[in-house]
Amino acid sequence: MRVGGVEMAAKEINMTEGRPLARIAAFAAPIIAAGVVQQFYQLGDTLIAGRFLGSGALAAVSNSSMCVFFIMVLFAGIGNGASIVLSQLFGAGCDEQVRSAVDTSFVFFCLGGLVCTASGLAASAPLLRLLATPAEIYGDTLVYLRILCAGMAPIFGYSVIMGLLNAVGDSRTPLEMLICSTILNLGLDLLFVTRFDAGVAGLAVATVISQSAALAGCVIYMNRRKSVIRLRLHGLSFSFRMLRRIVGMGLPTGLQDALMIISVMVLQNRINGFGVAVIAGRSIVGRIEGFLLLPIHGFGAAVMTFIAQNYGAGKKDRVMSGLRLGLVMMTVLSVGLAAALLLSSGALLALFTTNEATVAAARRCINITVPCYTFYALAVVWQSFFRGCGDTLFPLIVSLLTQFAFRIATIDLFLSYIPDPTGVWYAYAASWLLMLALDVVYYKTGLWRRFGGVKL
């Protein structure tokens, strides 16, 4: 099938036609399902660490994961830029330029995976010292982190290919590959920890192996597909001009995510000062909140792709419909999911640990942060809209102001008035509210229209 001159495979969705809500929902559903699978993927390490290895191992996994995210986000953000560029070109029906964008992304991210590995191995110990990692979990944390960094290339490569597939409306294939990878990861977790007594090192090795399997599956699939985004080793259409466009679109997103992780690490530094029970409690809440965020991020990705394809196709009405639908869906979802989590938090926490101090710390975090996730959810819609229209600069600026500068500048102020972990949770909530307010004000100014294309 061909749309606007671009060949489409069976699983790809053309969002420039059909009912907006149906198209967004059809694209978002596999992303949300993939997110559920991904959370079970990560949940396996958390549950097994907490149940079989103790709170110390659970805290080590939490600290290590944050460092890995910090190392990856810059390149992953540029991958997001490739997805935006590809979505716009796909919507405009620019077959040759789509091919160039895919080839350029493939070459660039092959090199990027190697850079992620090298930088991660070099930065592991300094990052843990920066986080003020407690001495009793430092050894396990460093081992877990270094193994993940050594296997960074396949972890990063899977994320890149998933972005390319999503750009053309194929959110089903990443889901299928992730399901297989998750089953493999859980099996290997249990094997390495309970049978081989490999500790946190076994959890890290299982993650690298299963991610490598997911990457291999995606590569095999894309090499056999008939779509214009199939990968190829011969006749690559690499373009420095396209690379500049992708980097220019994605670098602000990468910097935005990197700054956010830095701010989270600063807050983690404060959390670490309250002891292992609070660290472990926050780790558990992070896993639970991950499920709450799935529909938010899934619909955010769908809204961005919908807007980008229609922006490239010059369809003003559909672009604005995507924004309105996104805001309504996010409000309903975030309120409903927050209520469900607050009501079920006791039973959920019992799945992870029986340690009373850890449960108490986790419950305090949930009661403060979860009701405020509506602020974050609506901000995700606005930023998806700006990115889909080609404006990735403002999301960087607003994140710099709210998720980085505001958090770092005010965390000690919050703690001076509330000298316990509660002060950290209020700092999170306040930054989300500020981010939403600035997004709305920026939209009202109309400055995002300067990026050309559709005159909205």
Side-chain angles (χ1 to χ4, degrees), residues 132-151:
T133 304
E136 59 265 38
I137 65 172
Y138 182 87
D140 280 346
T141 305
L142 184 60
V143 168
Y144 187 88
L145 178 58
R146 282 180 170 169
I147 293 174
L148 287 185
C149 288

Side-chain angles (χ1 to χ4, degrees), residues 266-267 270 405-418 421 423-428:
V266 171
L267 299 186
R270 302 300 191 274
F406 175 81
R407 285 181 176 179
I408 292 176
T410 63
I411 182 59
D412 289 328
L413 178 63
F414 276 97
L415 288 173
S416 68
Y417 285 98
I418 312 173
V424 181
W425 315 146
Y426 278 116
Y428 273 109

Side-chain angles (χ1 to χ4, degrees), residues 2-339:
R2 298 185 69 82
V3 176
V6 176
E7 187 179 4
M8 297 186 68
K11 298 179 183 179
E12 296 170 0
I13 300 174
N14 173 33
M15 296 195 177
T16 62
E17 298 176 356
R19 296 174 57 193
L21 179 58
R23 294 297 191 186
I24 291 174
F27 181 77
I31 292 180
I32 296 171
V36 172
V37 176
Q38 183 71 53
Q39 288 301 313
F40 278 112
Y41 191 110
Q42 298 172 353
L43 197 60
D45 285 359
T46 304
L47 286 171
I48 293 172
R51 283 291 182 179
F52 292 98
L53 302 176
S55 293
L58 180 62
V61 170
S62 174
N63 274 269
S64 302
S65 298
M66 187 180 306
C67 294
V68 171
F69 291 151
F70 171 74
I71 295 165
M72 287 184 63
V73 289
L74 184 59
F75 286 98
I78 299 175
N80 183 267
S83 181
I84 294 171
V85 170
L86 187 59
S87 292
Q88 292 182 345
L89 294 173
F90 187 79
C94 301
D95 200 333
E96 184 176 343
Q97 292 187 63
V98 167
R99 181 70 265 167
S100 177
V102 172
D103 289 351
T104 300
S105 300
F106 178 65
V107 173
F108 179 76
F109 290 117
C110 281
L111 299 176
L114 298 177
V115 173
C116 279
T117 297
S119 59
L121 290 172
S124 296
L127 280 174
L128 295 184
R129 288 193 294 269
L130 181 65
L131 286 172
T133 304
E136 59 265 38
I137 65 172
Y138 182 87
D140 280 346
T141 305
L142 184 60
V143 168
Y144 187 88
L145 178 58
R146 282 180 170 169
I147 293 174
L148 287 185
C149 288
M152 187 72 72
I155 296 174
F156 180 65
Y158 170 76
S159 299
V160 171
I161 291 181
M162 181 176 64
L164 295 178
L165 289 166
N166 286 342
V168 295
D170 182 358
S171 53
R172 288 169 52 192
T173 299
L175 169 61
E176 295 165 357
M177 299 301 174
L178 190 57
I179 289 173
C180 296
S181 178
T182 299
I183 295 172
L184 177 61
N185 181 66
L186 291 175
L188 291 175
D189 277 346
L190 290 171
L191 178 65
F192 289 146
V193 171
T194 64
R195 187 64 177 257
F196 297 151
D197 195 24
V200 295
L203 299 177
V205 171
T207 296
V208 172
I209 292 174
S210 54
Q211 284 287 308
S212 299
L215 174 62
C218 285
V219 170
I220 292 171
Y221 169 77
M222 293 187 71
N223 283 340
R224 292 179 177 178
R225 69 187 291 119
K226 296 181 179 180
S227 170
V228 70
I229 69 166
R230 64 187 179 277
L231 300 178
R232 58 185 180 180
L233 297 178
H234 301 289
L236 288 172
S237 179
F238 180 83
S239 167
F240 282 104
R241 182 178 180 181
M242 184 63 71
L243 178 61
R244 286 194 298 270
R245 182 175 178 181
I246 290 171
V247 172
M249 190 74 73
L251 187 58
T253 301
L255 289 173
Q256 171 187 343
D257 293 339
L259 291 172
M260 184 182 70
I261 294 299
I262 291 174
S263 73
V264 170
M265 293 171 72
V266 171
L267 299 186
Q268 186 68 39
N269 176 281
R270 302 300 191 274
I271 292 170
N272 286 350
F274 292 108
V276 172
V278 174
I279 298 173
R282 176 55 197 169
S283 174
I284 293 172
V285 174
R287 297 305 190 196
I288 296 173
E289 286 179 343
F291 285 95
L292 176 67
L293 292 175
L294 293 177
I296 294 174
H297 290 158
F299 276 102
V303 167
M304 187 188 76
T305 301
F306 180 90
I307 289 173
Q309 286 193 17
N310 284 284
Y311 190 87
K315 296 188 175 183
K316 169 184 174 180
D317 292 342
R318 291 180 68 83
V319 169
M320 301 311 296
S321 292
L323 173 61
R324 289 190 296 268
L325 285 170
L327 292 172
V328 172
M329 288 187 295
M330 286 299 194
T331 300
V332 174
L333 281 170
S334 60
V335 171
L337 291 170

